[in-house]
Amino acid sequence: MVPGREDLGPVLITKVLEVDNRTVTTHFILLGFPAQPDLQLLLFSVFLATYLLTLLENLLIIFTIRSDGKLHKPMYFFLSHLSFLEMWYVTVISPKMLVDFLSYDKSISFNGCMTQLYFFVTFICTEYILLAVMAFDRYVAICNPLHYSVIMTNQLCGLLAGGCWFCGLMTAMIKMVFIARLHYCGTPQINHYFCDISPLLNVSCKDSSQAELVDFFLALMVIAVPLCVVVASYATILTTILKIPSAQGRQKAFSTCASHLTVVILFYSTTLFTYARPKLMYAYNSNKVVSVLYTVIVPLLNPIIYCLRNREVKAALKKAIFCKKSRLQGDETYNN
């Protein structure tokens, strides 16, 4: 008997249909974070505040980039895509998690689970590739500054951003074809707070080796290839920076990519811990803690990192805030 399972009994909605002499699961149970009711309420408050703050931060970044002409550059174009991506990234997971903190019914429909998984995989794969594209942009800016405007044209930036989203959507679609057709017996209990690939593979009562192989191959492509691009880009950037004669020049060159490098390290280190391990070594409890880092904490920190480490973004934010205040004060004076 799983702890807390008896509390779900009368409330849990479980539907099992008979199709071709097999039971087809129509609901899963997300076990989430087992805790006392008082702690559940505290977790709800913390995660709700974090979610709303993440949305506010990323909206502010997008608004600032769009409203300030000085930020109409490839680096900030990709940053606005990253902010837009992470707004949806956290929205796929957080609302259901927040509802589960306040409800005894932890069930999620099969279609709902697959939909959540599809969009989560889309966004996480898109972010891997987008971070690699941003590293390439920094490589061109620092290593080929005279040709930067010729290489990083608006057309190329649009193609690269569109390619990131297309690769993410296609990767998620291929994975879903294999995950959704697995057979799950009864109403499986997923020891996680959202529908992720490894927990679903673990509760499948059908041979999932083919789905695991496809997942491993696609994960290798989506993680390893962008990671190689990032490592190669920053290795070349570091070599170029070290050749700059003045210390001030080296510091200025490094400051242009410090924010992105910090975001890359945070995102890759937390996700690689989770997705680079075999299914049989999948440690559920530790994985849930690490998953909070890249699904909740990292999207919250990314806008802060870019604001604190980037002078242009900080200046544009101050300008946007003070201009807004000035307009409001002017309107009040005019009305009076």
Side-chain angles (χ1 to χ4, degrees):
M1 179 74 69
V2 178
R5 177 68 179 88
E6 63 276 1
D7 294 333
L8 302 177
V11 186
L12 178 64
I13 304 174
T14 304
K15 297 180 181 179
V16 181
L17 304 178
E18 294 288 340
V19 179
D20 297 331
N21 295 322
R22 297 189 310 170
T23 58
V24 176
T25 297
T26 60
H27 284 74
F28 296 97
I29 302 170
L30 293 172
L31 297 181
F33 299 95
Q36 298 298 321
D38 291 342
L39 184 57
Q40 292 276 352
L41 187 59
L42 175 62
L43 290 173
F44 170 82
S45 302
V46 171
F47 281 108
L48 176 61
T50 303
Y51 172 56
L52 294 177
L53 186 57
T54 301
L55 293 182
L56 179 62
E57 289 175 346
N58 284 288
L59 277 172
L60 191 58
I61 290 287
I62 294 172
F63 170 76
T64 302
I65 292 173
R66 289 180 62 88
S67 61
D68 195 313
K70 294 181 180 179
L71 299 184
H72 292 175
K73 303 175 184 178
M75 179 172 69
Y76 301 112
F77 170 76
F78 294 126
L79 176 57
S80 64
H81 273 268
L82 180 64
S83 293
F84 179 77
L85 170 68
E86 292 196 330
M87 285 173 57
W88 290 105
Y89 181 69
V90 297
T91 300
V92 166
I93 297 169
S94 295
K96 173 60 179 170
M97 178 177 62
L98 291 171
V99 169
D100 286 346
F101 279 131
L102 302 179
S103 174
Y104 287 110
D105 180 11
K106 313 292 184 181
S107 65
I108 182 172
S109 69
F110 180 88
N111 290 335
C113 185
M114 293 301 123
T115 301
Q116 185 185 58
L117 177 63
Y118 174 73
F119 284 108
F120 171 73
V121 173
T122 295
F123 296 140
I124 197 170
C125 291
T126 302
E127 185 156 351
Y128 275 120
I129 303 169
L130 182 60
L131 289 174
V133 168
M134 294 173 76
F136 172 74
D137 171 72
R138 292 299 83 208
Y139 156 76
V140 177
I142 295 174
C143 301
N144 297 282
L146 298 178
H147 299 93
Y148 181 71
S149 59
V150 177
I151 297 173
M152 301 302 294
T153 61
N154 292 336
Q155 291 79 6
L156 179 61
C157 291
L159 285 173
L160 289 173
C164 293
W165 286 96
F166 177 77
C167 289
L169 288 165
M170 292 305 298
T171 302
M173 187 177 297
I174 295 171
K175 287 191 176 190
M176 289 303 303
V177 168
F178 290 88
I179 297 294
R181 70 182 186 183
L182 290 176
H183 182 51
Y184 303 95
C185 300
T187 305
Q189 298 177 356
I190 300 176
N191 195 4
H192 214 339
Y193 58 89
F194 70 98
C195 291
D196 202 359
I197 291 177
S198 293
L200 284 169
L201 290 174
N202 275 274
V203 298
S204 171
C205 56
K206 179 183 178 182
D207 179 28
S208 60
S209 57
Q210 189 179 30
E212 290 178 55
L213 183 62
V214 171
D215 177 57
F216 174 78
F217 176 75
L218 290 176
L220 186 67
M221 295 296 294
V222 171
I223 298 175
V225 174
L227 182 58
C228 288
V229 172
V230 170
V231 172
S233 297
Y234 277 106
T236 310
I237 288 171
L238 182 61
T239 304
T240 303
I241 290 176
L242 292 176
K243 292 179 181 178
I244 298 175
S246 66
Q248 185 178 2
R250 289 194 297 270
Q251 183 179 3
K252 183 178 179 181
F254 182 75
S255 66
T256 63
C257 56
S259 301
H260 177 255
L261 184 58
T262 305
V263 169
V264 166
I265 292 172
L266 280 173
F267 183 73
Y268 272 85
S269 60
T270 52
T271 54
L272 282 174
F273 178 85
T274 302
Y275 296 107
R277 295 176 297 163
K279 171 190 169 184
L280 294 178
M281 295 178 63
Y282 190 83
Y284 285 112
N285 293 328
S286 64
N287 185 73
K288 278 192 281 190
V289 175
V290 176
S291 295
V292 169
L293 293 178
Y294 67 82
T295 60
V296 178
I297 304 301
V298 171
L300 174 69
L301 293 179
N302 284 351
I304 298 174
I305 292 169
Y306 272 105
C307 290
L308 292 178
R309 302 283 307 190
N310 192 298
R311 292 180 181 178
E312 288 184 311
V313 174
K314 283 195 292 185
L317 277 172
K318 289 179 182 178
K319 180 181 176 182
I321 292 172
F322 286 130
C323 285
K324 182 68 174 176
K325 286 183 177 179
S326 298
R327 284 197 298 268
L328 290 174
Q329 290 174 356
D331 291 341
E332 289 178 0
T333 302
Y334 177 77
N335 291 331
N336 292 332

